[in-house]
Amino acid sequence: GVGSSGSHSMHVGTGASTIRQYIDDTQMWLGDVDNFNFKIEVFGLAEFYNEKGILLPTVGRVSSGGTLSGGGSGWSASNDSTGVYTVTHNIGSSAYSVVASVESSSGDYKLKIGSRGSNSFTVRCDATGTLTNMAFNFILIYY
């Protein structure tokens, strides 16, 4: 750590917390398990709030062939069968939500999150009752 107490103190790997930082305004340690009764945004990517701890949104695009652009480091996608895609991630928890949308200028398309596991989720793409390969965008919010 760079200090043991007081204002602007920062510790990495102390106690049960991985990162702890003393916050002057609230007179508390950021990183303590029960001290998330406020919101702090980090570079627009992560938010610390309430008792849940971290809200981490991740966005990505899957091509009609199953290639992933975006997502997290080490993530991938595959086109398992016509209109069925799997996005593989490394979150290790099913405590997340996924929202997906089709990339199309016309047509009556529907996307359905088929399953949501601890390291992957599936998306089923439907064009008027028939599974169809199509590009889509998604946002995954880990909570």
Side-chain angles (χ1 to χ4, degrees), residues 91-121:
I91 293 174
S93 169
S94 59
Y96 63 88
S97 296
V98 178
V99 177
S101 63
V102 174
E103 278 188 17
S104 177
S105 59
S106 63
D108 184 19
Y109 303 115
K110 298 174 186 170
L111 294 182
K112 185 183 295 185
I113 307 304
S115 66
R116 188 175 42 87
S118 61
N119 287 304
S120 67
F121 63 90

PDB file of all heavy atoms in Angstrom, residues 91-121:
ATOM      1  N   ILE A  91     -16.864 -14.952 -17.677  1.00  0.00           N
ATOM      2  CA  ILE A  91     -17.376 -14.332 -16.454  1.00  0.00           C
ATOM      3  C   ILE A  91     -17.406 -15.333 -15.295  1.00  0.00           C
ATOM      4  O   ILE A  91     -17.124 -15.003 -14.158  1.00  0.00           O
ATOM      5  CB  ILE A  91     -18.773 -13.724 -16.691  1.00  0.00           C
ATOM      6  CG1 ILE A  91     -18.658 -12.544 -17.646  1.00  0.00           C
ATOM      7  CG2 ILE A  91     -19.429 -13.302 -15.391  1.00  0.00           C
ATOM      8  CD1 ILE A  91     -19.980 -11.952 -18.057  1.00  0.00           C
ATOM      9  N   GLY A  92     -17.777 -16.574 -15.581  1.00  0.00           N
ATOM     10  CA  GLY A  92     -17.812 -17.590 -14.534  1.00  0.00           C
ATOM     11  C   GLY A  92     -19.009 -17.482 -13.618  1.00  0.00           C
ATOM     12  O   GLY A  92     -19.011 -18.014 -12.525  1.00  0.00           O
ATOM     13  N   SER A  93     -20.047 -16.787 -14.071  1.00  0.00           N
ATOM     14  CA  SER A  93     -21.255 -16.598 -13.274  1.00  0.00           C
ATOM     15  C   SER A  93     -22.427 -16.344 -14.217  1.00  0.00           C
ATOM     16  O   SER A  93     -22.246 -15.799 -15.303  1.00  0.00           O
ATOM     17  CB  SER A  93     -21.088 -15.392 -12.345  1.00  0.00           C
ATOM     18  OG  SER A  93     -22.315 -15.039 -11.754  1.00  0.00           O
ATOM     19  N   SER A  94     -23.606 -16.728 -13.789  1.00  0.00           N
ATOM     20  CA  SER A  94     -24.794 -16.434 -14.594  1.00  0.00           C
ATOM     21  C   SER A  94     -25.521 -15.189 -14.083  1.00  0.00           C
ATOM     22  O   SER A  94     -26.662 -14.935 -14.454  1.00  0.00           O
ATOM     23  CB  SER A  94     -25.737 -17.636 -14.619  1.00  0.00           C
ATOM     24  OG  SER A  94     -26.129 -17.973 -13.305  1.00  0.00           O
ATOM     25  N   ALA A  95     -24.843 -14.385 -13.261  1.00  0.00           N
ATOM     26  CA  ALA A  95     -25.431 -13.147 -12.732  1.00  0.00           C
ATOM     27  C   ALA A  95     -25.235 -12.020 -13.742  1.00  0.00           C
ATOM     28  O   ALA A  95     -24.471 -11.087 -13.524  1.00  0.00           O
ATOM     29  CB  ALA A  95     -24.807 -12.794 -11.391  1.00  0.00           C
ATOM     30  N   TYR A  96     -25.901 -12.134 -14.875  1.00  0.00           N
ATOM     31  CA  TYR A  96     -25.831 -11.108 -15.909  1.00  0.00           C
ATOM     32  C   TYR A  96     -27.101 -11.150 -16.744  1.00  0.00           C
ATOM     33  O   TYR A  96     -27.846 -12.131 -16.718  1.00  0.00           O
ATOM     34  CB  TYR A  96     -24.600 -11.290 -16.809  1.00  0.00           C
ATOM     35  CG  TYR A  96     -24.552 -12.577 -17.602  1.00  0.00           C
ATOM     36  CD1 TYR A  96     -25.149 -12.672 -18.855  1.00  0.00           C
ATOM     37  CD2 TYR A  96     -23.906 -13.693 -17.102  1.00  0.00           C
ATOM     38  CE1 TYR A  96     -25.109 -13.853 -19.580  1.00  0.00           C
ATOM     39  CE2 TYR A  96     -23.848 -14.870 -17.821  1.00  0.00           C
ATOM     40  CZ  TYR A  96     -24.449 -14.949 -19.060  1.00  0.00           C
ATOM     41  OH  TYR A  96     -24.399 -16.114 -19.786  1.00  0.00           O
ATOM     42  N   SER A  97     -27.333 -10.082 -17.477  1.00  0.00           N
ATOM     43  CA  SER A  97     -28.447  -9.996 -18.421  1.00  0.00           C
ATOM     44  C   SER A  97     -27.885  -9.700 -19.796  1.00  0.00           C
ATOM     45  O   SER A  97     -26.850  -9.041 -19.924  1.00  0.00           O
ATOM     46  CB  SER A  97     -29.414  -8.879 -18.026  1.00  0.00           C
ATOM     47  OG  SER A  97     -29.997  -9.166 -16.780  1.00  0.00           O
ATOM     48  N   VAL A  98     -28.581 -10.167 -20.828  1.00  0.00           N
ATOM     49  CA  VAL A  98     -28.171  -9.925 -22.206  1.00  0.00           C
ATOM     50  C   VAL A  98     -29.341  -9.319 -22.965  1.00  0.00           C
ATOM     51  O   VAL A  98     -30.475  -9.778 -22.849  1.00  0.00           O
ATOM     52  CB  VAL A  98     -27.754 -11.233 -22.914  1.00  0.00           C
ATOM     53  CG1 VAL A  98     -27.375 -10.970 -24.369  1.00  0.00           C
ATOM     54  CG2 VAL A  98     -26.615 -11.903 -22.181  1.00  0.00           C
ATOM     55  N   VAL A  99     -29.043  -8.285 -23.742  1.00  0.00           N
ATOM     56  CA  VAL A  99     -30.019  -7.696 -24.662  1.00  0.00           C
ATOM     57  C   VAL A  99     -29.376  -7.735 -26.038  1.00  0.00           C
ATOM     58  O   VAL A  99     -28.221  -7.349 -26.194  1.00  0.00           O
ATOM     59  CB  VAL A  99     -30.362  -6.237 -24.277  1.00  0.00           C
ATOM     60  CG1 VAL A  99     -31.319  -5.634 -25.283  1.00  0.00           C
ATOM     61  CG2 VAL A  99     -30.927  -6.181 -22.870  1.00  0.00           C
ATOM     62  N   ALA A 100     -30.106  -8.226 -27.040  1.00  0.00           N
ATOM     63  CA  ALA A 100     -29.561  -8.342 -28.392  1.00  0.00           C
ATOM     64  C   ALA A 100     -30.503  -7.703 -29.396  1.00  0.00           C
ATOM     65  O   ALA A 100     -31.721  -7.673 -29.187  1.00  0.00           O
ATOM     66  CB  ALA A 100     -29.342  -9.812 -28.741  1.00  0.00           C
ATOM     67  N   SER A 101     -29.936  -7.185 -30.480  1.00  0.00           N
ATOM     68  CA  SER A 101     -30.747  -6.589 -31.536  1.00  0.00           C
ATOM     69  C   SER A 101     -30.172  -6.953 -32.904  1.00  0.00           C
ATOM     70  O   SER A 101     -28.961  -7.058 -33.071  1.00  0.00           O
ATOM     71  CB  SER A 101     -30.828  -5.067 -31.380  1.00  0.00           C
ATOM     72  OG  SER A 101     -29.539  -4.506 -31.503  1.00  0.00           O
ATOM     73  N   VAL A 102     -31.061  -7.145 -33.871  1.00  0.00           N
ATOM     74  CA  VAL A 102     -30.686  -7.530 -35.229  1.00  0.00           C
ATOM     75  C   VAL A 102     -30.128  -6.339 -35.983  1.00  0.00           C
ATOM     76  O   VAL A 102     -30.570  -5.212 -35.798  1.00  0.00           O
ATOM     77  CB  VAL A 102     -31.933  -8.057 -35.979  1.00  0.00           C
ATOM     78  CG1 VAL A 102     -31.630  -8.338 -37.437  1.00  0.00           C
ATOM     79  CG2 VAL A 102     -32.471  -9.279 -35.302  1.00  0.00           C
ATOM     80  N   GLU A 103     -29.172  -6.612 -36.866  1.00  0.00           N
ATOM     81  CA  GLU A 103     -28.688  -5.594 -37.800  1.00  0.00           C
ATOM     82  C   GLU A 103     -29.412  -5.811 -39.117  1.00  0.00           C
ATOM     83  O   GLU A 103     -29.083  -6.735 -39.864  1.00  0.00           O
ATOM     84  CB  GLU A 103     -27.186  -5.739 -38.024  1.00  0.00           C
ATOM     85  CG  GLU A 103     -26.346  -5.105 -36.979  1.00  0.00           C
ATOM     86  CD  GLU A 103     -24.873  -5.112 -37.379  1.00  0.00           C
ATOM     87  OE1 GLU A 103     -24.531  -5.299 -38.554  1.00  0.00           O
ATOM     88  OE2 GLU A 103     -24.061  -4.938 -36.468  1.00  0.00           O
ATOM     89  N   SER A 104     -30.424  -5.016 -39.375  1.00  0.00           N
ATOM     90  CA  SER A 104     -31.178  -5.162 -40.617  1.00  0.00           C
ATOM     91  C   SER A 104     -31.939  -3.882 -40.910  1.00  0.00           C
ATOM     92  O   SER A 104     -32.417  -3.214 -40.003  1.00  0.00           O
ATOM     93  CB  SER A 104     -32.166  -6.323 -40.500  1.00  0.00           C
ATOM     94  OG  SER A 104     -32.948  -6.413 -41.670  1.00  0.00           O
ATOM     95  N   SER A 105     -32.052  -3.574 -42.202  1.00  0.00           N
ATOM     96  CA  SER A 105     -32.803  -2.373 -42.592  1.00  0.00           C
ATOM     97  C   SER A 105     -34.266  -2.688 -42.874  1.00  0.00           C
ATOM     98  O   SER A 105     -35.072  -1.784 -43.031  1.00  0.00           O
ATOM     99  CB  SER A 105     -32.159  -1.733 -43.821  1.00  0.00           C
ATOM    100  OG  SER A 105     -32.150  -2.663 -44.890  1.00  0.00           O
ATOM    101  N   SER A 106     -34.602  -3.968 -42.974  1.00  0.00           N
ATOM    102  CA  SER A 106     -36.005  -4.342 -43.212  1.00  0.00           C
ATOM    103  C   SER A 106     -36.244  -5.757 -42.711  1.00  0.00           C
ATOM    104  O   SER A 106     -35.313  -6.484 -42.381  1.00  0.00           O
ATOM    105  CB  SER A 106     -36.315  -4.269 -44.714  1.00  0.00           C
ATOM    106  OG  SER A 106     -35.519  -5.207 -45.411  1.00  0.00           O
ATOM    107  N   GLY A 107     -37.497  -6.159 -42.682  1.00  0.00           N
ATOM    108  CA  GLY A 107     -37.856  -7.523 -42.282  1.00  0.00           C
ATOM    109  C   GLY A 107     -38.416  -7.596 -40.881  1.00  0.00           C
ATOM    110  O   GLY A 107     -38.293  -6.660 -40.097  1.00  0.00           O
ATOM    111  N   ASP A 108     -39.066  -8.720 -40.603  1.00  0.00           N
ATOM    112  CA  ASP A 108     -39.673  -8.975 -39.302  1.00  0.00           C
ATOM    113  C   ASP A 108     -38.828 -10.011 -38.582  1.00  0.00           C
ATOM    114  O   ASP A 108     -39.065 -11.206 -38.686  1.00  0.00           O
ATOM    115  CB  ASP A 108     -41.113  -9.467 -39.498  1.00  0.00           C
ATOM    116  CG  ASP A 108     -41.825  -9.666 -38.175  1.00  0.00           C
ATOM    117  OD1 ASP A 108     -41.363  -9.101 -37.162  1.00  0.00           O
ATOM    118  OD2 ASP A 108     -42.834 -10.386 -38.147  1.00  0.00           O
ATOM    119  N   TYR A 109     -37.798  -9.561 -37.872  1.00  0.00           N
ATOM    120  CA  TYR A 109     -36.841 -10.449 -37.227  1.00  0.00           C
ATOM    121  C   TYR A 109     -37.000 -10.415 -35.719  1.00  0.00           C
ATOM    122  O   TYR A 109     -37.318  -9.379 -35.147  1.00  0.00           O
ATOM    123  CB  TYR A 109     -35.417 -10.051 -37.588  1.00  0.00           C
ATOM    124  CG  TYR A 109     -35.167 -10.031 -39.070  1.00  0.00           C
ATOM    125  CD1 TYR A 109     -34.867  -8.847 -39.735  1.00  0.00           C
ATOM    126  CD2 TYR A 109     -35.244 -11.199 -39.816  1.00  0.00           C
ATOM    127  CE1 TYR A 109     -34.638  -8.822 -41.096  1.00  0.00           C
ATOM    128  CE2 TYR A 109     -35.022 -11.187 -41.182  1.00  0.00           C
ATOM    129  CZ  TYR A 109     -34.720 -10.008 -41.820  1.00  0.00           C
ATOM    130  OH  TYR A 109     -34.501  -9.999 -43.160  1.00  0.00           O
ATOM    131  N   LYS A 110     -36.734 -11.553 -35.108  1.00  0.00           N
ATOM    132  CA  LYS A 110     -36.807 -11.650 -33.654  1.00  0.00           C
ATOM    133  C   LYS A 110     -35.567 -12.360 -33.154  1.00  0.00           C
ATOM    134  O   LYS A 110     -35.094 -13.310 -33.776  1.00  0.00           O
ATOM    135  CB  LYS A 110     -38.041 -12.443 -33.238  1.00  0.00           C
ATOM    136  CG  LYS A 110     -39.337 -11.804 -33.655  1.00  0.00           C
ATOM    137  CD  LYS A 110     -40.499 -12.691 -33.347  1.00  0.00           C
ATOM    138  CE  LYS A 110     -41.765 -12.056 -33.913  1.00  0.00           C
ATOM    139  NZ  LYS A 110     -42.896 -12.945 -33.872  1.00  0.00           N
ATOM    140  N   LEU A 111     -35.065 -11.905 -32.033  1.00  0.00           N
ATOM    141  CA  LEU A 111     -33.946 -12.572 -31.372  1.00  0.00           C
ATOM    142  C   LEU A 111     -34.417 -13.064 -30.013  1.00  0.00           C
ATOM    143  O   LEU A 111     -35.175 -12.388 -29.331  1.00  0.00           O
ATOM    144  CB  LEU A 111     -32.773 -11.621 -31.175  1.00  0.00           C
ATOM    145  CG  LEU A 111     -32.083 -11.110 -32.431  1.00  0.00           C
ATOM    146  CD1 LEU A 111     -30.921 -10.210 -32.060  1.00  0.00           C
ATOM    147  CD2 LEU A 111     -31.597 -12.246 -33.283  1.00  0.00           C
ATOM    148  N   LYS A 112     -33.933 -14.220 -29.632  1.00  0.00           N
ATOM    149  CA  LYS A 112     -34.288 -14.786 -28.343  1.00  0.00           C
ATOM    150  C   LYS A 112     -33.007 -15.286 -27.681  1.00  0.00           C
ATOM    151  O   LYS A 112     -32.199 -15.962 -28.321  1.00  0.00           O
ATOM    152  CB  LYS A 112     -35.253 -15.948 -28.539  1.00  0.00           C
ATOM    153  CG  LYS A 112     -35.783 -16.529 -27.252  1.00  0.00           C
ATOM    154  CD  LYS A 112     -36.676 -17.734 -27.501  1.00  0.00           C
ATOM    155  CE  LYS A 112     -37.919 -17.330 -28.244  1.00  0.00           C
ATOM    156  NZ  LYS A 112     -38.858 -18.450 -28.390  1.00  0.00           N
ATOM    157  N   ILE A 113     -32.820 -14.929 -26.424  1.00  0.00           N
ATOM    158  CA  ILE A 113     -31.697 -15.470 -25.668  1.00  0.00           C
ATOM    159  C   ILE A 113     -32.128 -16.881 -25.269  1.00  0.00           C
ATOM    160  O   ILE A 113     -33.040 -17.066 -24.475  1.00  0.00           O
ATOM    161  CB  ILE A 113     -31.374 -14.616 -24.419  1.00  0.00           C
ATOM    162  CG1 ILE A 113     -31.173 -13.143 -24.790  1.00  0.00           C
ATOM    163  CG2 ILE A 113     -30.158 -15.174 -23.686  1.00  0.00           C
ATOM    164  CD1 ILE A 113     -30.128 -12.886 -25.838  1.00  0.00           C
ATOM    165  N   GLY A 114     -31.480 -17.884 -25.882  1.00  0.00           N
ATOM    166  CA  GLY A 114     -31.890 -19.277 -25.692  1.00  0.00           C
ATOM    167  C   GLY A 114     -31.478 -19.852 -24.351  1.00  0.00           C
ATOM    168  O   GLY A 114     -32.225 -20.559 -23.703  1.00  0.00           O
ATOM    169  N   SER A 115     -30.270 -19.566 -23.915  1.00  0.00           N
ATOM    170  CA  SER A 115     -29.797 -20.019 -22.609  1.00  0.00           C
ATOM    171  C   SER A 115     -28.731 -19.042 -22.133  1.00  0.00           C
ATOM    172  O   SER A 115     -28.111 -18.340 -22.934  1.00  0.00           O
ATOM    173  CB  SER A 115     -29.215 -21.435 -22.691  1.00  0.00           C
ATOM    174  OG  SER A 115     -28.038 -21.449 -23.469  1.00  0.00           O
ATOM    175  N   ARG A 116     -28.530 -19.014 -20.835  1.00  0.00           N
ATOM    176  CA  ARG A 116     -27.554 -18.105 -20.231  1.00  0.00           C
ATOM    177  C   ARG A 116     -26.827 -18.882 -19.151  1.00  0.00           C
ATOM    178  O   ARG A 116     -27.365 -19.153 -18.093  1.00  0.00           O
ATOM    179  CB  ARG A 116     -28.310 -16.911 -19.646  1.00  0.00           C
ATOM    180  CG  ARG A 116     -27.468 -15.784 -19.159  1.00  0.00           C
ATOM    181  CD  ARG A 116     -28.333 -14.608 -18.705  1.00  0.00           C
ATOM    182  NE  ARG A 116     -29.510 -14.971 -17.952  1.00  0.00           N
ATOM    183  CZ  ARG A 116     -29.546 -15.153 -16.636  1.00  0.00           C
ATOM    184  NH1 ARG A 116     -28.457 -15.003 -15.926  1.00  0.00           N
ATOM    185  NH2 ARG A 116     -30.664 -15.488 -16.039  1.00  0.00           N
ATOM    186  N   GLY A 117     -25.590 -19.292 -19.448  1.00  0.00           N
ATOM    187  CA  GLY A 117     -24.813 -20.071 -18.498  1.00  0.00           C
ATOM    188  C   GLY A 117     -23.691 -19.256 -17.886  1.00  0.00           C
ATOM    189  O   GLY A 117     -23.530 -18.063 -18.178  1.00  0.00           O
ATOM    190  N   SER A 118     -22.880 -19.893 -17.069  1.00  0.00           N
ATOM    191  CA  SER A 118     -21.821 -19.172 -16.362  1.00  0.00           C
ATOM    192  C   SER A 118     -20.675 -18.756 -17.279  1.00  0.00           C
ATOM    193  O   SER A 118     -19.920 -17.861 -16.936  1.00  0.00           O
ATOM    194  CB  SER A 118     -21.291 -20.003 -15.194  1.00  0.00           C
ATOM    195  OG  SER A 118     -20.749 -21.212 -15.670  1.00  0.00           O
ATOM    196  N   ASN A 119     -20.548 -19.386 -18.464  1.00  0.00           N
ATOM    197  CA  ASN A 119     -19.479 -19.007 -19.383  1.00  0.00           C
ATOM    198  C   ASN A 119     -19.933 -18.859 -20.834  1.00  0.00           C
ATOM    199  O   ASN A 119     -19.094 -18.788 -21.736  1.00  0.00           O
ATOM    200  CB  ASN A 119     -18.313 -19.998 -19.304  1.00  0.00           C
ATOM    201  CG  ASN A 119     -17.540 -19.818 -18.013  1.00  0.00           C
ATOM    202  OD1 ASN A 119     -17.071 -18.730 -17.712  1.00  0.00           O
ATOM    203  ND2 ASN A 119     -17.440 -20.873 -17.239  1.00  0.00           N
ATOM    204  N   SER A 120     -21.239 -18.833 -21.072  1.00  0.00           N
ATOM    205  CA  SER A 120     -21.727 -18.622 -22.435  1.00  0.00           C
ATOM    206  C   SER A 120     -23.224 -18.311 -22.422  1.00  0.00           C
ATOM    207  O   SER A 120     -23.901 -18.552 -21.425  1.00  0.00           O
ATOM    208  CB  SER A 120     -21.480 -19.862 -23.301  1.00  0.00           C
ATOM    209  OG  SER A 120     -22.271 -20.942 -22.853  1.00  0.00           O
ATOM    210  N   PHE A 121     -23.681 -17.768 -23.533  1.00  0.00           N
ATOM    211  CA  PHE A 121     -25.115 -17.620 -23.756  1.00  0.00           C
ATOM    212  C   PHE A 121     -25.394 -17.886 -25.226  1.00  0.00           C
ATOM    213  O   PHE A 121     -24.513 -17.781 -26.070  1.00  0.00           O
ATOM    214  CB  PHE A 121     -25.632 -16.230 -23.331  1.00  0.00           C
ATOM    215  CG  PHE A 121     -25.064 -15.068 -24.091  1.00  0.00           C
ATOM    216  CD1 PHE A 121     -25.677 -14.599 -25.256  1.00  0.00           C
ATOM    217  CD2 PHE A 121     -23.930 -14.423 -23.646  1.00  0.00           C
ATOM    218  CE1 PHE A 121     -25.160 -13.517 -25.952  1.00  0.00           C
ATOM    219  CE2 PHE A 121     -23.397 -13.339 -24.328  1.00  0.00           C
ATOM    220  CZ  PHE A 121     -24.019 -12.885 -25.486  1.00  0.00           C
TER     221      PHE A 121
END
